[in-house]
């Protein structure tokens, strides 16, 4: 005899409702939405316009003027014996940002990448700060041997210990001395900039930017 197929009662048949997010996924959806909005904002014209305007700030103009003065061949001359030390001291302070970016940072990176110990120490220091302010961003302190220690003090102490163990301090000190030796001829041969010269030129450039925008 043929078997009878019985269907389940209508009260036992349920349809899944996908109109609402699953429990625990609302925050992830919000985060994904915020990431998408951030990426979209980066691709807009307003984002790059604001970035260009920020580069035209007073500090950026000052550094631009400083770089032009450092590379201007008309501002170099052979100093007298009594002018060498004053030139080196004055130009050393005046062109310190240029020396740091053009000489100090490349030498520091070369020194860091020349040794496995220095690379391991750098990664360990980055991991320490990343753990403290990334994974434990909500905590005000870190528990070390059962004692709560403020995060800046704990990370600073751990970084100093890692720099001492890996020889990072002596390596960076060597890079700083070598950078000073490399920058010494420029500081000795460059004329001492006039006091207030950079400020006056930066002020003139700042005054020219609004005028140009009004004309446009």
């Amino acid at each position: 005899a043929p078997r009878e197929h019985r269907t389940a009662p209508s009260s036992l048949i349920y349809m899944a409702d996908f109109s609402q997010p699953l429990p625990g996924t609302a925050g992830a959806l919000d985060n994904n939405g915020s990431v998408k909005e951030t990426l979209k904002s980066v691709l807009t014209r307003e984002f790059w316009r604001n970035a260009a305007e920020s580069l035209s700030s007073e500090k950026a103009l000052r550094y631009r003027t400083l770089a032009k003065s450092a590379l201007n061949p008309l501002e170099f001359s052979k100093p007298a014996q009594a002018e060498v030390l004053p030139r080196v001291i004055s130009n050393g302070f005046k062109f310190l940002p240029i020396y740091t970016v053009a000489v100090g940072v490349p030498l520091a990176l070369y020194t860091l990448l020349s040794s496995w110990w220095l690379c391991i120490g750098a990664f360990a220091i980055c991991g320490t700060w990343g753990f403290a302010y990334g994974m434990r961003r909500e905590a005000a302190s870190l528990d070390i041997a059962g004692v709560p220690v403020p995060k800046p003090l704990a990370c600073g102490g751990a970084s100093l210990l890692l720099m001492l163990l890996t020889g990072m301090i002596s390596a960076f000190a060597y890079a700083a001395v070598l950078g000073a030796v490399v920058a010494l001829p420029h500081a000795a041969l460059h004329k001492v900039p006039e006091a207030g010269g950079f400020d006056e030129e930066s002020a003139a450039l700042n005054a020219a930017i609004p005028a140009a925008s009004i004309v446009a």
Side-chain angles (χ1 to χ4, degrees):
R3 297 181 181 180
E4 296 181 358
H5 296 280
R6 297 180 180 180
T7 59
S10 59
S11 60
L12 298 180
I13 298 176
Y14 299 96
M15 297 296 293
D17 184 11
F18 294 101
S19 60
Q20 299 295 330
L22 297 176
T25 61
L29 292 175
D30 294 340
N31 293 334
N32 291 333
S34 62
V35 172
K36 291 180 180 178
E37 294 296 330
T38 303
L39 293 177
K40 288 181 180 179
S41 65
V42 171
L43 298 177
T44 59
R45 185 179 299 177
E46 295 180 357
F47 175 84
W48 295 105
R49 184 181 301 171
N50 294 333
E53 291 178 356
S54 64
L55 291 177
S56 300
S57 62
E58 183 178 356
K59 185 175 292 186
L61 289 173
R62 179 179 176 83
Y63 289 153
R64 191 185 309 171
T65 306
L66 196 66
K68 288 171 60 178
S69 175
L71 299 176
N72 188 359
L74 299 178
E75 298 187 18
F76 287 87
S77 65
K78 183 179 179 180
Q81 187 174 0
E83 295 178 349
V84 174
L85 185 58
R87 277 193 180 189
V88 170
I89 295 175
S90 179
N91 290 331
F93 284 105
K94 182 68 70 174
F95 295 109
L96 182 59
I98 304 299
Y99 296 152
T100 302
V101 174
V103 181
V105 173
L107 284 176
L109 290 176
Y110 176 79
T111 303
L112 182 65
L113 298 176
S114 63
S115 172
W116 281 105
W117 276 111
L118 297 179
C119 293
I120 292 173
F123 280 117
I125 291 173
C126 293
T128 300
W129 289 89
F131 171 78
Y133 289 93
M135 300 178 64
R136 301 291 300 274
R137 67 171 66 92
E138 298 179 357
S141 60
L142 299 176
D143 293 334
I144 300 178
V147 179
V149 180
K151 288 195 290 187
L153 181 60
C155 294
S159 301
L160 180 60
L161 180 61
L162 289 170
M163 292 175 72
L164 290 173
L165 291 176
T166 57
M168 195 176 297
I169 294 179
S170 59
F172 284 160
Y174 170 77
V177 172
L178 184 60
V181 172
V182 173
L184 185 61
H186 180 275
L189 295 175
H190 196 283
K191 297 179 181 178
V192 178
E194 298 180 359
F198 292 140
D199 297 333
E200 293 176 0
E201 187 170 353
S202 298
L205 289 173
N206 281 330
I209 290 175
S213 61
I214 294 174
V215 172

